Amino acid sequence: MVQRLLHRLNCSPLVVFVLLLIDLRLSYVDSSFQVLPESDDGKSAEFNIQELIDVMKVLEDEEIVVRLPSNSLLKYTSYKDVSILHFDVPPDTRTAYFTFKAFEDSKSAFQRKCKPKDVTLHLKAGSFPVISPENITFPKNFFSSDQRFKVYDLQFLSNEKQQRITIQGPHIGSWFAVAFISWSDPNNDRIEQQGIAANCDTLLFAEMSVSRFRPIIINNAEEHQDNLTSHVLPDGNTTVSKGVNATSRPLRSLPPKQKQKQSVEILSDGSSGKSGRIQNSTGSESRSNSTGISNNTTPLTANNEIVYRFYIPEEIGDAIARISFEQVCADCPAVGFHVRANGYPLGGLGHGSIIRPNQTDEISIPFGVQPNTWHYAALSFVADDESQIVSGNHSISYALKIDFLAPEEQDDEPTNGSITNPWKPTKFRQMNFYSLLRQTYREFFMFDYDLRPDANGTVPEVLNLTAQTHSGFAFDLGEVSDIGGTLTFALSMKEAHRTSLKMIALPTQSPDLGGILAERLIGDPKEVVVPPVKTTDSRSNNQSMQIIICMQLGEPGVPTWPDKCRYGLRLKPASAIVNHTESMGLVHVPFPESGRWYVTMGLFCHGAETARVAIVEIVKEFISKHRQVLGELRPSCGCATKAPRYSECLATPACLAKMNESEALEIKECMMDCAVESTQMTQRFEEHRRAAMEQHVALDNCNTSVVFTVSSSPCVVGRCGRFGRCYHYMSGGFVFSTCVCSKGYRGWDCTEDSQVPTNMSILVATLLLTLSNLLFFPSIYMAIKRRYFTEGVIYFFAMFFSIFYHACDAGEDDYSFCLVKIGVLQFCDFYCGLLSIWVTLVAMAHVRSELVSLLHMFGAILLAFGTELNKQSLWVFLAPALTGICLISTSWGLRCAKSRKLFPSRRYLSVWLPFGLTLVIAGLVCYAFLQTKQNYHIVHSIWHMVMALSILCLLPSRKSFLPKC
C-alpha cells in the first residue's frame, strides 16, 4: 500500500504538468487562429492558413493506424511498373486521411541534387485500381467503372511536400493505392547515358489516419429510444450539441385535436443523392412491443446524429426500419435516415430517406441489406436545402426498431429422409438464386463457379429462365488470392456456344505465353460445331427474346426493360444484354473487388412484329399522360431547360406521332430523374409498363434455356492478344497479372495499335543501324595498310558484332536475325567498341613495341571486366579514354623533351588530329544527349559513321612519327 501511495505521489506532478501543457497548447492554437494577421502576399497567407489547418487536424481525434515503409517508384511503361500500397480501414471510421510524401534519394554522395519528378497515385477500395495513364480505351465488354468503387487520383511532385486525400465515410476494409512516376510519351524520352544525369531513386512514404465514431449496437427487433437535438451557440453560429439533453428547448405540444393521423412525407435520395417525395401509405402501422427495450442516453457525434450498428446474418436480404416520434414537432426540420453496409452512412451512399416528424404513428422504411455484413444506420436533422445547415434549437424523442425479413419458406421443403435437390433455387429479394460450387486450379487467379452437382455428380448443362421471375447467382471472392486477375461472366442462348462456354483448358505450360499462363477459353462459335438440338422453349413461337444481365458487388440488381438495372432506388445501365440467340453476353471485371458478387438475369419476351412498336407506344402513352410533371422539374437538373419544348410537343398530337424511340425515352428519363417525386414516377412507369405489356407479351409461355460460365483467369481470359504476354508480378506483398506488350502495341490487352510502326519504317531503321557499320571497312583497310594488324582485327569484330546485334534487336521479329542470344551479341558489341577505342589510343601514343602487347592485354582484361559489370556506365567509357589521353600526353611530351623537336608531325597535329577530335566530339554529343526512342535509328547510325571516320583521321601513319623541326 505504501508503494502504491508513493507511486501516485510521484506521478501526480507529472500528470498535472501534462494537463497544463495541453491546455496551454489549446489556448495558443485558439488565440493564434483568432488573431491571424492579414498578409499582402497571397501565397504567404495561404501557407499560414494551411499550416494552421494542419495543426487543427492534429488536434482532432485522428488516429494513425497504418504507416508504410518507403516504396521505390518506377516510371510507368505498363501496369507492371506500379508500386502497390495497402491500407486497412478499421470499423467505425467516419473519415480516412491518406497522407503521401515523395522525395528523391541520390544513389551517390558525389552527385548533384536530383530534380523532382512527377508522381501519380490512384487510390481505390476493395482491389487494385484499373487505370490507363496513356488514355487508351479499355477493351470491349469491360465492366463499367461507374458501377465500381470510385478511384481517387493524385498527382504531385517528389519535392518532400506532404499530400493528403481525405475521404468521408470510407468503405471499411482493404484499400489499395498504385503509385508510379508519371507516364510520358516514350518516343520523346531522351536516352541518357548512365552517369551523365543524376542517378536517383524516387521514394514514397505513406500513412493513414482515421477519425472514428461510436455507434450503438442494435439487434434484430430491438427497440432503442433516444433524443435527437440541435441548438445554437450564444455567438449566433449554428452548431450541434454533443450532449443529448444540453440546453435544448422543450418540445412543442399540439392540442389533442391536432394530434390526429397526418400524412408523412418521405424524401428518398438513394445512392445517387437525388431527392424525391413519396407519401408513406404504410405509416399508420402500429409499433409492436419488443422483448428488448433500451432507454439509455447516448452521446451524439459532432454533427448532430445518432449512428447505429447492426449485423445481417446469412440469407437475409431485406429489412424494415420502424421509427416513431413521441410527440409531434411541426417546427422541427426533417429527420434523415441513412443506411449503408460496411461504411459510415453518408447522404449520397447506400439507402436514404427523409422523414417529416409531423405525426406520432409508426413509420416503416424498407431497405435492402447485404448478408454477413455489418451495417450502419444514422439519424440526424437535415435541412430542406442540402447546401444549408440546420438552424434553431430543436429536440425530439423517438424510438427505432429494425426488423430483419426472413426469406420466404419454400412450399415443397424436403421431408425427413429425402435428398435435397441442389438445383432448386432459393428466393432472395423475390428472385430465384441458384447455388454455385467453386473449383480452384493450381495457377494464380484460376477458378470457376458452376451449378452444384447432385448425389450422382451430375451437373445440368443448361439453365432454364422464365419471364415471370428473374434468376441469379451469388458467389464470394477472397481478399488477396482472387483480386489480381479478371473475373468473367458469359451467357448465351445459342446452342453452338454451349461447348465453348464450358470448355476449360487446365493450367499447362503454353509455349506461346512463356509457360506461365493458364487459359480459360471463351471460344469462338465458328470453332465449335455442335449438332442442332431440338428445343421446346418459346423461341420457335415467333417471339423476340432479350436477357438483361445485372452484375454488381454487394447488391443484386433487378433487370428492368429495356436496358437498365435497378439497385434500390437507383437505375444503372445493364452490364450486358443478350438478344434472341444472336449474341453472347460477356462481362470482364479486371481486378475484381473482394466480397460477394451478384449476377441476375431477366428474360423479356415480345411479339416479333410488334415488340419495338409496343415499347415505343407504351413510353409515349406514359409521358403524354404525365406531361404536367414537366412543369414541376427540379431547376438543378440538366433537362429542366428543355421541359417547355417537351411539354409543347406532347400537347400536339402530330408532334407526338412523329416522335421517335430515342426522343420518347429521353423525355421519360427526364421525368423519372428530375421530377420532384422521382421515386413515385419510377414506380408509376413500372406499373404502367407491366399493365400495358400484358397486351403484347405472352408471359405464361415465355421461357428459354441458357448456358453460362463464371470464371477467373490472369490478364484478359488468360490472353494478351497476338502481341503481348501475360505475366504475374508482385508488389507490396500482393500478386497481380498484367500484359506486357511488344511491337508498339499498347493497352490493357495489347490491342491498341496507334503507335505501331509500319513495316517500311522497321525495315528502314534496321538497315540504317546495320549498314552504317560498313564504314568501318575503310578504317580496317587503312589499319592493315599501315601495318596495324591487331587494330584492324579489332575494328573488324567491332563492325561484325554491331551489325548482328542491331539486326537482332531492331527488326521487331519481322526483319530480325539473331546469330546467337541477344545478350551475347550485346556484350560483344559494347566490348569490341570499347576495345577499338583503347587500341586506337595506344597506337596514337607510339610507345615501344615491348609495351604495346602489355597495354593491349591490360586493356582487354579490364574492359571485359567493366563491360560485364555495367556495360552502360559512364566510367566504362571514361576509363579507357582518360587513360589513353594520359598515355598519349606522356609519350608525346617525353619525346618532345628528349629530341627538342615537334612530335608528331606538324601535318598530323594541325589537320588530322583536330578533324578527328571534332568527329569524336560530335559523335559523343549525339550518343549522350540527342538520342530518343523516336530518332534512335538515325542518331545512333550517325554515331556509327562518325566513329568509323574518326579512326581514319586519328590512326597515325608511320611518317607522322618521324622527327621534324
Side-chain angles (χ1 to χ4, degrees):
M1 179 64 70
V2 175
Q3 293 179 353
R4 291 184 179 178
L5 291 176
L6 290 175
H7 177 70
R8 291 180 180 178
L9 290 174
N10 292 333
C11 292
S12 297
L14 179 61
V15 173
V16 173
F17 175 75
V18 172
L19 292 176
L20 290 175
L21 183 63
I22 294 175
D23 182 68
L24 178 63
R25 183 174 180 182
L26 289 174
S27 302
Y28 169 74
V29 173
D30 185 65
S31 62
S32 64
F33 182 78
Q34 294 176 1
V35 298
L36 180 66
E38 296 183 359
S39 174
D40 295 336
D41 187 1
K43 295 184 179 179
S44 177
E46 182 180 357
F47 174 78
N48 293 333
I49 293 174
Q50 183 62 39
E51 186 177 9
L52 286 174
I53 291 175
D54 293 339
V55 173
M56 295 298 292
K57 287 180 179 178
V58 173
L59 295 177
E60 289 180 358
D61 55 339
E62 289 188 24
E63 175 188 359
I64 297 179
V65 294
V66 176
R67 178 169 288 163
L68 301 178
S70 60
N71 284 267
S72 181
L73 304 184
L74 303 176
K75 184 173 178 58
Y76 187 93
T77 58
S78 65
Y79 206 93
K80 65 181 178 61
D81 300 317
V82 303
S83 293
I84 295 179
L85 312 176
H86 176 246
F87 307 91
D88 191 9
V89 176
D92 306 339
T93 295
R94 177 191 299 274
T95 308
Y97 306 94
F98 298 89
T99 305
F100 306 96
K101 183 172 67 174
F103 65 96
E104 297 295 325
D105 182 27
S106 178
K107 292 184 178 180
S108 175
F110 302 100
Q111 290 180 340
R112 60 182 180 272
K113 185 178 179 180
C114 303
K115 182 180 179 181
K117 299 183 180 70
D118 287 326
V119 176
T120 301
L121 183 140
H122 302 277
L123 178 67
K124 177 178 169 292
S127 184
F128 314 131
V130 180
I131 58 174
S132 179
E134 308 101 315
N135 293 325
I136 299 175
T137 304
F138 289 108
K140 186 181 178 181
N141 301 318
F142 259 39
F143 196 58
S144 173
S145 59
D146 297 335
Q147 301 185 32
R148 308 185 67 174
F149 288 123
K150 179 181 177 181
V151 177
Y152 297 87
D153 304 320
L154 184 64
Q155 191 164 2
F156 55 98
L157 292 175
S158 56
N159 54 4
E160 303 186 18
K161 290 186 178 181
Q162 182 174 292
Q163 308 292 330
R164 171 173 280 199
I165 298 177
T166 301
I167 300 177
Q168 301 287 341
H171 180 81
I172 292 173
S174 294
W175 283 71
F176 295 89
V178 294
F180 48 87
I181 300 175
S182 301
W183 179 85
S184 60
D185 192 348
N187 292 326
N188 300 326
D189 290 345
R190 196 175 69 185
I191 302 175
E192 295 180 343
Q193 177 68 34
Q194 290 186 10
I196 295 178
N199 193 5
C200 304
D201 284 335
T202 304
L203 301 180
L204 177 69
F205 282 104
E207 67 179 20
M208 182 190 71
S209 57
V210 299
S211 62
R212 305 194 188 188
F213 59 94
R214 293 183 179 180
I216 303 170
I217 304 297
I218 189 172
N219 298 318
N220 181 27
E222 177 185 358
E223 186 177 274
H224 185 270
Q225 299 177 358
D226 215 324
N227 294 332
L228 198 61
T229 65
S230 69
H231 71 278
V232 179
L233 292 179
D235 60 359
N237 295 327
T238 302
T239 60
V240 294
S241 91
K242 296 184 180 180
V244 177
N245 298 320
T247 65
S248 58
R249 67 183 180 89
L251 294 174
R252 176 184 176 184
S253 301
L254 293 180
K257 294 182 179 180
Q258 298 183 17
K259 292 184 179 180
Q260 299 176 357
K261 178 181 176 182
Q262 301 178 4
S263 63
V264 181
E265 296 177 345
I266 299 182
L267 312 182
S268 301
D269 56 11
S271 294
S272 61
K274 300 176 180 178
S275 298
R277 298 173 183 260
I278 63 172
Q279 300 293 330
N280 186 1
S281 59
T282 61
S284 60
E285 193 175 309
S286 61
R287 184 175 75 249
S288 60
N289 294 328
S290 175
T291 56
I293 300 178
S294 57
N295 295 318
N296 59 309
T297 302
T298 305
L300 298 183
T301 52
N303 58 343
N304 185 36
E305 62 185 9
I306 300 179
V307 182
Y308 296 91
R309 180 182 178 186
F310 54 95
Y311 184 79
I312 300 298
E314 183 66 45
E315 297 182 355
I316 299 296
D318 297 284
I320 295 180
R322 308 184 190 276
I323 303 175
S324 60
F325 300 104
E326 183 178 340
Q327 291 179 305
V328 174
C329 183
D331 293 339
C332 290
V335 176
F337 177 76
H338 300 279
V339 181
R340 183 185 173 196
N342 268 336
Y344 174 75
L346 290 175
L349 299 172
H351 173 86
S353 299
I354 296 179
I355 310 167
R356 299 292 182 185
N358 54 6
Q359 71 157 3
T360 58
D361 293 330
E362 183 179 89
I363 303 169
S364 299
I365 304 176
F367 57 92
V369 293
Q370 301 179 20
N372 298 328
T373 306
W374 282 98
H375 288 64
Y376 295 88
L379 281 171
S380 62
F381 284 124
V382 295
D384 294 335
D385 191 351
E386 297 179 357
S387 61
Q388 299 179 356
I389 60 176
V390 177
S391 61
N393 299 320
H394 306 286
S395 178
I396 189 169
S397 299
Y398 71 91
L400 171 68
K401 183 174 66 171
I402 298 178
D403 294 331
F404 303 161
L405 301 183
E408 301 178 3
E409 296 184 359
Q410 303 294 329
D411 297 334
D412 50 350
E413 292 290 336
T415 59
N416 294 334
S418 63
I419 300 177
T420 304
N421 183 7
W423 306 336
K424 182 181 178 181
T426 58
K427 284 290 184 179
F428 184 79
R429 295 196 182 181
Q430 292 77 46
M431 291 183 284
N432 292 331
F433 271 76
Y434 293 86
S435 179
L436 299 180
L437 178 65
R438 172 168 172 156
Q439 182 175 358
T440 306
Y441 303 96
R442 294 182 304 168
E443 291 289 335
F444 280 109
F445 320 121
M446 279 293 301
F447 59 87
D448 59 31
Y449 284 92
D450 206 345
L451 295 174
R452 290 186 176 273
D454 60 5
N456 299 324
T458 304
V459 178
E461 295 183 358
V462 296
L463 180 69
N464 292 323
L465 298 182
T466 62
Q468 292 91 342
T469 306
H470 301 322
S471 302
F473 316 103
F475 51 92
D476 297 320
L477 297 185
E479 289 191 356
V480 177
S481 59
D482 296 345
I483 64 175
T486 300
L487 178 67
T488 299
F489 176 78
L491 179 139
S492 178
M493 291 188 290
K494 198 164 187 176
E495 297 294 340
H497 287 171
R498 180 176 303 175
T499 303
S500 61
L501 288 178
K502 295 297 180 181
M503 188 182 303
I504 298 176
L506 294 178
T508 57
Q509 291 187 352
S510 172
D512 180 50
L513 298 179
I516 63 170
L517 290 184
E519 296 187 18
R520 167 172 298 272
L521 302 179
I522 304 298
D524 188 356
K526 297 179 180 179
E527 301 174 359
V528 182
V529 179
V530 180
V533 180
K534 295 183 179 180
T535 60
T536 58
D537 59 19
S538 59
R539 285 177 287 181
S540 60
N541 296 333
N542 196 24
Q543 289 184 347
S544 173
M545 289 183 162
Q546 181 168 302
I547 299 177
I548 297 177
I549 301 173
C550 304
M551 190 172 183
Q552 186 71 22
L553 172 69
E555 184 177 5
V558 179
T560 304
W561 178 264
D563 56 358
K564 294 290 190 295
C565 295
R566 180 165 54 84
Y567 300 94
L569 300 177
R570 297 162 294 165
L571 276 177
K572 294 184 178 181
S575 302
I577 297 177
V578 180
N579 294 324
H580 175 55
T581 68
E582 295 297 334
S583 66
M584 178 194 302
L586 191 61
V587 182
H588 294 305
V589 186
F591 300 154
E593 292 86 351
S594 59
R596 177 161 296 182
W597 283 80
Y598 293 92
V599 177
T600 52
M601 301 160 288
L603 176 64
F604 297 89
C605 304
H606 314 283
E609 297 83 4
T610 61
R612 301 305 302 175
V613 177
I615 295 299
V616 175
E617 294 301 324
I618 290 172
V619 174
K620 286 184 178 180
E621 181 181 353
F622 175 80
I623 61 179
S624 178
K625 180 180 179 181
H626 298 88
R627 65 175 180 269
Q628 73 279 0
V629 177
L630 294 172
E632 303 173 358
L633 300 181
R634 294 196 302 271
S636 58
C637 279
C639 67
T641 57
K642 303 178 181 179
R645 181 168 58 88
Y646 292 159
S647 181
E648 182 181 356
C649 181
L650 293 177
T652 306
C655 182
L656 181 63
K658 294 180 181 179
M659 187 181 299
N660 57 31
E661 179 181 356
S662 60
E663 294 172 345
L665 292 176
E666 181 181 355
I667 298 177
K668 188 262 295 184
E669 294 295 334
C670 181
M671 287 183 174
M672 297 174 65
D673 293 341
C674 300
V676 177
E677 301 176 351
S678 60
T679 306
Q680 188 174 1
M681 289 298 299
T682 303
Q683 295 177 351
R684 288 176 181 174
F685 177 75
E686 188 67 19
E687 294 173 358
H688 177 81
R689 183 193 64 81
R690 291 179 179 177
M693 287 296 291
E694 291 179 356
Q695 306 174 8
H696 305 280
V697 181
L699 294 179
D700 295 336
N701 192 29
C702 181
N703 61 83
T704 186
S705 59
V706 296
V707 289
F708 73 94
T709 178
V710 179
S711 61
S712 174
S713 58
C715 299
V716 184
V717 201
R719 302 189 184 98
C720 293
R722 294 176 53 198
F723 305 99
R725 293 195 174 195
C726 183
Y727 292 95
H728 295 98
Y729 290 90
M730 177 178 286
S731 176
F734 295 89
V735 180
F736 62 95
S737 62
T738 186
C739 291
V740 178
C741 309
S742 60
K743 295 187 177 181
Y745 284 86
R746 304 182 303 162
W748 199 265
D749 58 350
C750 300
T751 56
E752 203 277 332
D753 58 356
S754 62
Q755 293 189 0
V756 175
T758 62
N759 291 336
M760 181 58 67
S761 62
I762 295 174
L763 180 60
V764 170
T766 304
L767 292 177
L768 277 176
L769 290 171
T770 53
L771 299 181
S772 60
N773 290 279
L774 296 180
L775 281 182
F776 275 92
F777 271 119
S779 301
I780 297 171
Y781 170 76
M782 185 65 68
I784 295 175
K785 182 179 180 181
R786 295 177 178 177
R787 307 184 65 82
Y788 292 106
F789 299 110
T790 302
E791 289 78 355
V793 172
I794 294 174
Y795 298 155
F796 172 78
F797 281 105
M799 176 192 68
F800 177 84
F801 286 115
S802 180
I803 289 175
F804 283 98
Y805 166 65
H806 288 292
C808 180
D809 178 65
E812 294 285 354
D813 295 335
D814 293 326
Y815 302 101
S816 63
F817 172 76
C818 295
L819 187 64
V820 291
K821 292 182 179 179
I822 189 171
V824 177
L825 293 173
Q826 187 184 40
F827 171 83
C828 294
D829 178 34
F830 277 83
Y831 176 65
C832 291
L834 294 172
L835 194 57
S836 63
I837 295 174
W838 173 248
V839 296
T840 302
L841 294 174
V842 171
M844 292 172 62
H846 193 62
V847 296
R848 290 183 298 175
S849 58
E850 294 84 357
L851 296 177
V852 173
S853 299
L854 179 62
L855 292 174
H856 283 175
M857 291 304 301
F858 179 78
I861 295 173
L862 291 183
L863 289 176
F865 171 78
T867 304
E868 181 63 26
L869 184 65
N870 188 355
K871 61 179 67 69
Q872 295 179 344
S873 174
L874 177 64
W875 289 104
V876 175
F877 289 86
L878 289 181
L882 295 178
T883 304
I885 292 173
C886 293
L887 182 63
I888 292 172
S889 302
T890 303
S891 176
W892 290 1
L894 290 177
R895 286 184 178 272
C896 288
K898 184 177 180 180
S899 61
R900 302 291 181 175
K901 295 178 181 179
L902 184 63
F903 185 88
S905 65
R906 185 181 302 274
R907 181 175 178 80
Y908 181 81
L909 291 175
S910 60
V911 178
W912 300 115
L913 182 61
F915 188 63
L917 291 177
T918 302
L919 291 175
V920 170
I921 294 173
L924 291 175
V925 170
C926 292
Y927 183 82
F929 301 105
L930 300 182
Q931 289 188 131
T932 64
K933 184 177 180 182
Q934 191 171 15
N935 65 9
Y936 172 78
H937 60 286
I938 299 175
V939 176
H940 199 75
S941 299
I942 294 175
W943 153 261
H944 289 164
M945 294 184 288
V946 167
M947 298 311 294
L949 293 175
S950 65
I951 294 177
L952 291 175
C953 301
L954 296 178
L955 190 64
S957 64
R958 300 298 179 180
K959 296 180 180 180
S960 300
F961 295 122
L962 295 178
K964 294 183 179 179
C965 296

